[in-house]
Every structure is written in C-alpha cells, then in structure tokens.
Amino acid sequence: MRLVVRPALWAVSCVVAAIIGGACAPAHVNRPITPADYPHTRPELTRYQETSHYSDVQDFLDSLRKLGAPLTFGSIGKTTEGRNIPFVIAARPRVATPSEARRLGRPIVYVQGNIHAGEVEGKDALLALIRDLTFSPKPNALDSIVLIAVPIYNADGNERFASQSVNRTEQNGPEQVGTRANAQSLDLNRDYVKAEAPETRASLAMFNAWDPDVFVDLHTTDGSFHGYALTYSPSLSPAAVFGGVYTRDSLLPLLRDRMRTRRGFEVFDYGNFVSDERGLVADSSVREAWATYDSRPRFGTNYVGIRGRIAILSEAYSHDSLARRIASTYAFVSEILSLIAEKANAVKSLSARADSLPLAWGRSPDSVQLVAVRSELIATPRLLDVLKEDIEKTADSSRTQPGVPRGERRTGRVHAVRMPVYDRFTSTLDRLPPAAYVIAPQDTAAVTLLRLHGIHVERSDSAWLARGESFTIDSIITSPRVFQGHHEVRLNGTWQRGLQAVPPRSFIVSTAQPRGALIVYLLEPESDDGLTTWNFFDQDIRKGGRYPVTRIFDLSRRGRTVNRRSSAAASPLQNN
Ligand SMILES: [Zn+2]
C-alpha cells in the first residue's frame, strides 16, 4: 500500500478542522514513505543502550503522524499524575471508532507494553512494529485485523528512571529504567479485579468500548536462567473456558513452532525452576520442576480470559540484552498478529460463542455452565524437556553481567533437562450461575466496580420475594499481610435455599449477559479473587451473618421491573 496523500484532500480537511475548532493536520510527505523516512526509537538511536522516555514515545508517534501514517491516535485516559496514555489504532483501511472496527468484522487485537515500566522492551518493540507494519507496501496483518497498541501503559512508572540495579535487579540493562509500580505504588498487573488505578479504569473502558478479541500483555521475566528468548502464557483461569483452552492448545503451539522456524527464537510456556522459586508447587518431594505463576484474574491475561477472550502473556528473557529482548518481543507480537489474521474467522466465532453462552443460560437449562471460582495448580504435571543454562561460580564476588548475582557467571551452555512441567490449573470450586445476583442497596461501591467491568446492573423499584439462596458465613479468613493496600478476605460458609426478601432499591445483576462468567467470579462469596477478596463487603460481613449478595433463581416474580426471563429458564435450579 502506497502512502501518497493527496494535498487537495488535506486542504479540505483543514477547512473542516478550522470550522469545528480542531487542529489541522500538518503537511504530509507527498510520496511513498521508505525506511529512509522512518522515525527511530530511542533504543535504535542509542545502539540499544537506552529505552524510551515518555517524551520519546510522544515524539515518535508525532513523527508517524507527520509522515501521514494512516493511523488513529488517541489517549485511553490519564495516569495518576495526569499523563495521557497514548493508543494507536492500526488497520487497513484506517479505523477511528469502535463501530468502524466492528463493521470491518475483523479480530481486534489489543497489545499493551510497559505495564511494569522497568520491563521496557514491549514499549520499544511495539513502536517499531507499528511503524514497520504501517509503512510496509506489502500485504500484512493490518489488512485482516484491527490493532490497538498501547505502548506506554504505566507512563508514570516509566518516568521514575533509576539504575537497573535498583529498579530491575535481575535484568540485563538498559542502565536506566522505570519502576514496576504506578505513581500510587500499585502493581497494575494485580489491579484488574479491584481497578483502583486510573490506568486500570482507563483500560477497562477501552475493553468495554472496543471489545478486543485478543489481548497481549508484554513483560520481562525475573529469575530463572533458562534457555528461551521468551516465555508465554494463556489465561490460566479454569473459568476462561473459551480463550484459555484455545490459546493454550491451538494458538501457542503454532506460535512456538513459528518462532523457532521463521524467527530463530526458542520460546516456551512461562515458568520458573522450582529450585529457584517453589511457587505454588505444594509437593515438597518435587526437587526440580518448571512451574507457572497464578490463575487469578487480578492478572490481566487471566482476567481477559474470564471475559471470554483470548489473552497472551509475553515475557522476554531478562538476561538477554535489550537488543535481543526487543527482537524477540517484536517477532512474537508480529507472529501473533499474523496468526490471528489467518484465524480471523475462528477467533471471531470464539468471541461470539463466549458472549452468547451466558445469554443461553436463561433459555436452555442444558447450557448452564459451571464457573470455576477457585483453583489450584495441577497435581499431575507432564514430563517435558526444559532448556536450562549452566551458571558457574566465579573466583571472586565481582559482577559479571547486570542482573546476574555477584560471584556467578553465565556460561552460555544450554541443555535440555527432563522435568515435571506445571503449566495449568484445575478448578477446586465450581459454581452454577444463578439467574441473577441481588446486591444490598447500600453496596454502591461494589456496583460502581461491576459497571467499570462493563457489567449491566439494574435497580429494583419495589420490594419482592424471589426464590433463591442466601449464604451464611461460617468463617472469615483475613490475610495478616497487607497486599496492594489490602488485607485480602476469604469466606467459607453454606448456601440455604428459600424465598429471599429483596428490599426496594436493591441492585439486580442478571447473569444473562456477555460477561456472565465474570459476574459469577466477582460476586460468589467463596471466589478466590472477587469483590469479597478486595474488601468491598467488609462492612457487611460477620461470622454467622448473611453475605450481602444473594442468588436468585428466576426473575419472574420481580416487582415492577421488566421480566427478563421465563419461569422455565432456571428450571434445574428452582427445585426447592
Ligand atoms: Zn512484568
């Protein structure tokens, strides 16, 4: 595709812009753009010694705009310190709004860099990739997908530059990098359920507006010396019935193969050696194994899976140089975009199925699907070869490479070791979705949060009686440690069936909506990462008391509000 901008058209748009009070587009280059015209990222300009500052990202995007790149530029919202978080939409033809994107009928792929701002290569790789795909005259993924790129998500953290030895102790440069946390000292990749950071709220608003089919989150590893340029993970939540399994079993094996054969990079499922970090492997007789991280939706890719979408975590190898990390991340994202372009129909139908299933819960009893609200690492791992690098002791305590402990040296000798691989979780508690949940009138903070998640919540006009269940709290386990400003709460108790008195002004959350599984995950009292976990109901809960959210089996007796389900809808659930 040639990027020749006709001056007459720009003249017209300048007039329109002047009339509506907007800014006029700058004069564009009136010839095909070649690599000689390209703007360069800060790593490219510094021989990969430095990463982009916020102003570098802005300047780079401005340069693309001035070259007439057919991109849409915007901000997903503001950071804690008031910086705009830029996004770029890349597609051929150009797309400016969610409805335009939907009309194209293509998969929408949302790629995010810099959530942990010390982990820099996602940001720089993404900028280079937008440039190269946009200006390439050859057909590419942008002809078949819509790409939403958010290169510098944690912009405030990015600007807290300090030595890598302080901000990223296990990373091989660059020397100056930003922090993991945002300006509120929150880890944005633990915030996807409670959404306390403005950055998280902005990204949830983007998810709700654009409804991406695929989410890719770009990181750098910590820890183990393995033999992979990059490790990856699907959504690990067993509640991610659509995107999780398809990504794990269909997309990632193909991506692994293509990264090896087309790009020359060995990649593998994300994990650490148990000898470095025991993690969630409970069996103490396991002396060496490879184990993944966590399944809870506080992590972005796990969260997006429960929204019924494909999610891929990308973790470049922290002990590789910045140049190699950018190259591997660039290759991985390129291959993801190409693969999603190839599988466009399958990906779109997966999203449609994920959305329509909860709608069917109410119509067809057979369709009711259990939602896993607690899970654990599988107990029976597979035995696989994992690449491991030999690390040697040195004679003294000098540092041999940034990020390598003093007194140790990398050898570059990588060999395959057969060991148990723990790469998935299994459900330990499943719950059947009720027709609806009822939330007590005073719990407005919980309702505000549900709405941030794109969940539709109604308010009941009058008092009514509904068949359903209430939960009596047998025990409240409050974590003694403060985590992200919270003492996490876990409840145990019992459900009892009976007529539930629904007071006026109660909030009603029907599960018959696209994010039905997410509703169950957030509102079930025993969920391992729901609203209870994050203290939303602390004022309402006491041992022996009733949980402030009840389950309703059908909405047919509902007062003056609209009857949204037939009484047959919840027949398997209403035999009490
Ligand atoms: Zn990270």
Side-chain angles (χ1 to χ4, degrees):
M1 176 175 160
R2 295 197 153 199
L3 289 159
V4 183
V5 177
R6 283 165 291 176
L9 271 182
W10 279 111
V12 170
S13 66
C14 283
V15 170
V16 173
I19 291 168
I20 62 172
C24 183
H28 289 207
V29 178
N30 192 15
R31 57 177 170 74
I33 304 300
T34 70
D37 301 308
Y38 284 5
H40 293 285
T41 65
R42 189 159 180 144
E44 290 168 343
L45 294 167
T46 62
R47 302 174 71 191
Y48 296 92
Q49 297 305 301
E50 297 175 17
T51 186
S52 298
H53 292 237
Y54 181 72
S55 59
D56 297 318
V57 174
Q58 287 182 308
D59 291 348
F60 186 92
L61 298 178
D62 274 349
S63 301
L64 296 180
R65 189 186 287 126
K66 285 174 184 160
L67 284 170
L71 300 165
T72 296
F73 301 90
S75 164
I76 74 165
K78 286 193 190 294
T79 64
T80 309
E81 293 179 337
R83 292 182 177 88
N84 275 311
I85 305 168
F87 72 75
V88 179
I89 316 274
R92 298 163 166 174
R94 184 165 123 165
V95 158
T97 64
S99 57
E100 284 179 18
R102 273 192 285 278
R103 272 201 294 280
L104 285 178
R106 299 175 179 177
I108 300 175
V109 185
Y110 188 110
V111 188
Q112 172 174 281
N114 188 245
I115 184 169
H116 293 144
E119 305 169 12
V120 298
E121 63 274 6
K123 167 187 60 186
D124 292 313
L126 201 44
L127 292 175
L129 185 60
I130 297 163
R131 172 197 63 200
D132 298 349
L133 288 175
T134 300
F135 290 132
S136 167
K138 296 178 185 162
N140 64 41
L142 297 187
D143 301 306
S144 310
I145 64 160
V146 174
L147 169 64
I148 303 175
V150 181
I152 187 163
Y153 178 47
N154 181 5
D156 293 349
N158 193 78
E159 295 309 278
R160 287 166 154 67
F161 275 92
S163 169
Q164 155 273 322
S165 64
V166 175
N167 279 355
R168 283 288 297 159
T169 54
E170 296 178 62
Q171 183 166 293
N172 184 10
E175 212 292 311
Q176 291 284 314
V177 295
T179 56
R180 180 180 185 86
N182 79 342
Q184 299 163 289
S185 300
L186 290 177
D187 185 333
L188 297 177
N189 204 26
R190 305 293 182 274
D191 197 44
Y192 279 95
V193 169
K194 60 186 172 62
E196 290 179 313
E199 294 88 347
T200 310
R201 292 184 203 145
S203 64
L204 294 181
M206 284 293 284
F207 292 166
N208 295 337
W210 290 85
D211 196 12
D213 301 280
V214 181
F215 171 66
V216 183
D217 201 18
L218 305 176
H219 293 251
T220 318
T221 60
D222 294 299
S224 288
F225 288 92
H226 57 64
Y228 303 102
L230 185 146
T231 49
Y232 50 71
S233 176
S235 175
L236 293 171
S237 172
V241 286
F242 287 91
V245 173
Y246 179 74
T247 311
R248 184 189 71 202
D249 295 343
S250 298
L251 296 181
L252 289 169
L254 265 174
L255 285 167
R256 185 181 187 203
D257 187 52
R258 290 179 181 188
M259 283 290 280
R260 178 188 295 132
T261 55
R262 296 181 180 178
R263 307 281 182 157
F265 289 115
E266 285 295 336
V267 299
F268 192 51
D269 284 276
Y270 175 81
N272 280 294
F273 294 114
V274 165
S275 53
D276 295 325
E277 186 181 310
R278 180 140 286 270
L280 296 172
V281 177
D283 183 352
S284 58
S285 70
V286 175
R287 297 180 63 184
E288 188 58 302
W290 179 255
T292 189
Y293 70 111
D294 200 307
S295 65
R296 289 172 295 178
R298 61 190 60 189
F299 298 87
T301 48
N302 295 334
Y303 167 75
V304 167
I306 301 175
R307 286 178 72 109
R309 297 294 183 263
I310 290 166
I312 299 175
L313 172 76
S314 164
E315 298 262 356
Y317 184 41
S318 69
H319 299 295
D320 273 344
S321 66
L322 176 61
R324 191 163 195 262
R325 297 197 321 261
I326 290 176
S328 60
T329 302
Y330 181 106
F332 191 56
V333 177
S334 304
E335 290 296 342
I336 290 172
L337 301 184
S338 299
L339 186 58
I340 299 299
E342 280 172 43
K343 305 263 182 200
N345 290 340
V347 169
K348 290 302 291 180
S349 72
L350 199 76
S351 294
R353 273 167 49 217
D355 287 353
S356 63
L357 187 72
L359 303 181
W361 290 347
R363 289 192 300 271
S364 159
D366 295 342
S367 71
V368 172
Q369 151 213 7
L370 289 164
V371 176
V373 297
R374 283 188 191 176
S375 57
E376 65 182 18
L377 200 61
I378 46 159
T380 49
R382 294 177 299 158
L383 272 181
L384 296 172
D385 284 340
V386 183
L387 298 180
K388 189 167 190 174
E389 182 175 355
D390 291 333
I391 303 298
E392 287 179 347
K393 297 275 183 220
T394 56
D396 57 30
S397 62
S398 60
R399 176 121 24 221
T400 55
Q401 177 182 309
V404 175
R406 290 181 182 280
E408 293 184 8
R409 170 170 52 224
R410 296 180 63 187
T411 63
R413 289 195 307 271
V414 170
H415 50 98
V417 182
R418 202 149 188 87
M419 65 179 74
V421 171
Y422 296 84
D423 64 351
R424 61 196 67 184
F425 285 75
T426 185
S427 169
T428 56
L429 186 69
D430 294 305
R431 289 302 181 215
L432 269 176
Y437 290 96
V438 175
I439 302 177
Q442 72 272 17
D443 286 315
T444 52
V447 171
T448 301
L449 184 78
L450 293 175
R451 288 177 172 149
L452 283 171
H453 284 285
I455 291 165
H456 181 66
V457 182
E458 293 175 81
R459 198 145 201 185
S460 174
D461 295 336
S462 54
W464 45 295
L465 286 173
R467 282 171 301 143
E469 289 178 308
S470 63
F471 185 80
T472 303
I473 300 163
D474 296 335
S475 63
I476 303 172
I477 302 147
T478 303
S479 171
R481 88 173 170 145
V482 177
F483 177 71
Q484 300 289 304
H486 290 264
H487 290 279
E488 292 168 84
V489 169
R490 195 172 176 105
L491 298 183
N492 292 311
T494 45
W495 287 97
Q496 281 142 354
R497 292 191 169 193
L499 281 177
Q500 307 297 317
V502 180
R505 311 296 292 155
S506 295
F507 295 102
I508 315 293
V509 191
S510 165
T511 59
Q513 50 181 306
R515 283 176 275 286
L518 181 64
I519 292 167
V520 175
Y521 211 108
L522 295 178
L523 288 178
E524 278 293 320
E526 297 157 290
S527 163
D528 61 14
D529 206 7
L531 270 59
T532 299
T533 314
W534 297 106
N535 311 114
F536 279 86
F537 298 126
D538 275 10
Q539 72 282 4
D540 296 331
I541 57 173
R542 60 179 174 78
K543 192 176 170 191
R546 272 180 54 165
Y547 183 64
V549 180
T550 52
R551 296 176 179 157
I552 299 298
F553 295 154
D554 77 82
L555 294 171
S556 60
R557 299 171 68 159
R558 190 169 165 187
R560 284 186 282 125
T561 48
V562 182
N563 177 9
R564 301 183 64 219
R565 286 188 182 211
S566 74
S567 57
S571 54
L573 300 171
Q574 62 190 7
N575 302 323
N576 57 323

